[in-house]
Amino acid sequence: MIRTAAVLRKLAALTTAALLGVAVAPSTASATPDPKAPKEFVALSDVDPTIIQEMRYFTEHNFVGEPIDGYKKPMCILTRPAAKALHKAQAGLLKKGYSLKVYDCYRPQRAVDHFVRWAKDLDDQRMKPEFYPQVDKTRLFADGYIAEKSGHSRGSTVDLTIVKLPARPTRPYVPGEQLVACYGAQKDRFPDNSVDMGTGFDCFDTLAHTDDPRVQGVQRANRDLLRGALGGEGFVNLPEEWWHFTYKPELFPDTYFDFPISRRSLGGKG
């Protein structure tokens, strides 16, 4: 009888609180929806489906060793002018028997934040043998390999290479496999159907500098072919990375976006 009375009193209190609009327990906050891309952004495949896409940060084969935050789909998103300029460059290369292959395009700020967290974790060295074998991880910020902001987040920067047609298939990376230095001979590096550029993509080494004098012969010719094809359409190369180009003038030169990489961000499904 005493227990029944206590229960009735509790129910009466809850009912009174509800009538007065008083919260009796914290409600679960609804998730904040992801931001959407401005209308000036497009999927590269909608502008030029012939450009090969190998979106490394969607996979575990990158210098962090895991899929990167914000890469919900393995797709290239760019501002429309940058995508159209790539289409023009691709048209010229196709006539010569080559194709562009993109590794990374628009990069959300949350992905850059992921890089920064990884760079500060000095115990995580799992991908060092391939991507930064000669660089101490404590130097990644000072040497400019990692920064808290990236031009990729503005939407007009792309990381890419050239592939000789017909394109050979590239085998998938197997997490935990033995890694080989990114600056080794092409036959020894992780197999990539790219032409020989002297290093692999995202190689934290001075040999990746576009005009490093040690890069000669076929490797030099391949870098010049890429730079010439893109430079003729308004892209400017970053001297420290042979694969890194920014379309000028940038549509959003001062804005760093954080919408995730997916069709949904562009107003589509998925």
Side-chain angles (χ1 to χ4, degrees):
M1 192 69 177
I2 295 174
R3 179 176 298 177
T4 301
V7 170
L8 289 173
R9 286 195 299 272
K10 186 174 182 179
L11 287 173
L14 289 171
T15 301
T16 301
L19 290 172
L20 294 174
V22 179
V24 295
S27 60
T28 303
S30 59
T32 302
D34 277 319
K36 299 293 185 181
K39 60 181 177 59
E40 294 87 353
F41 281 81
V42 296
L44 177 62
S45 61
D46 291 343
V47 176
D48 192 324
T50 71
I51 296 176
I52 301 167
Q53 299 190 29
E54 185 181 314
M55 311 310 293
R56 287 286 188 89
Y57 298 138
F58 181 77
T59 76
E60 295 172 293
H61 190 210
N62 58 67
F63 58 84
V64 176
E66 62 190 22
I68 304 303
D69 292 352
Y71 288 78
K72 294 187 175 182
K73 294 291 181 180
M75 61 184 293
C76 171
I77 293 176
L78 287 169
T79 54
R80 188 179 300 276
K84 287 184 174 180
L86 276 190
H87 169 64
K88 292 179 181 179
Q90 173 77 342
L93 286 169
L94 288 174
K95 294 176 181 178
K96 300 177 181 179
Y98 295 95
S99 172
L100 292 170
K101 179 173 82 169
V102 294
Y103 294 114
D104 194 38
C105 301
Y106 158 75
R107 180 185 305 164
Q109 181 61 45
R110 67 191 71 183
V112 180
D113 295 342
H114 193 166
F115 293 166
V116 170
R117 291 195 306 273
W118 166 81
K120 292 178 178 178
D121 181 4
L122 301 183
D123 292 329
D124 185 351
Q125 304 272 353
R126 64 189 128 159
M127 303 303 284
K128 179 179 177 64
E130 178 175 354
F131 292 96
Y132 56 107
Q134 296 192 100
V135 179
D136 191 293
K137 197 173 182 183
T138 62
R139 297 286 309 169
L140 293 181
F141 288 103
D143 291 350
Y145 293 112
I146 300 292
E148 295 188 354
K149 294 288 184 181
S150 169
H152 282 273
S153 301
R154 301 194 296 263
S156 295
T157 294
V158 59
D159 293 336
L160 73 176
T161 188
I162 290 175
V163 173
K164 180 69 175 176
L165 296 174
R168 295 176 290 105
T170 299
R171 74 164 176 83
Y173 165 75
V174 180
E177 69 176 81
Q178 184 174 354
L179 301 177
V180 179
C182 55
Y183 51 73
Q186 186 181 38
K187 64 180 180 60
D188 298 326
R189 299 195 301 264
F190 183 86
D192 188 322
N193 57 5
S194 165
V195 299
D196 188 3
M197 294 290 191
T199 77
F201 165 60
D202 259 357
C203 189
F204 295 1
D205 192 89
T206 56
L207 198 64
H209 292 187
T210 308
D211 289 319
D212 189 289
R214 294 169 293 176
V215 178
Q216 297 294 330
V218 173
Q219 297 171 342
R220 166 61 55 201
N222 288 335
R223 291 189 184 190
D224 289 343
L225 177 61
L226 177 62
R227 182 164 50 182
L230 295 179
E233 302 301 337
F235 286 91
V236 178
N237 175 243
L238 179 69
E240 291 78 20
E241 299 177 348
W242 59 258
W243 56 82
H244 180 118
F245 290 82
T246 299
Y247 179 74
K248 301 285 187 175
E250 291 185 68
L251 204 56
F252 299 101
D254 303 307
T255 307
Y256 296 83
F257 295 97
D258 192 39
F259 59 86
I261 297 172
S262 70
R263 277 282 177 184
R264 191 179 300 274
S265 292
L266 299 173
K269 295 181 178 180

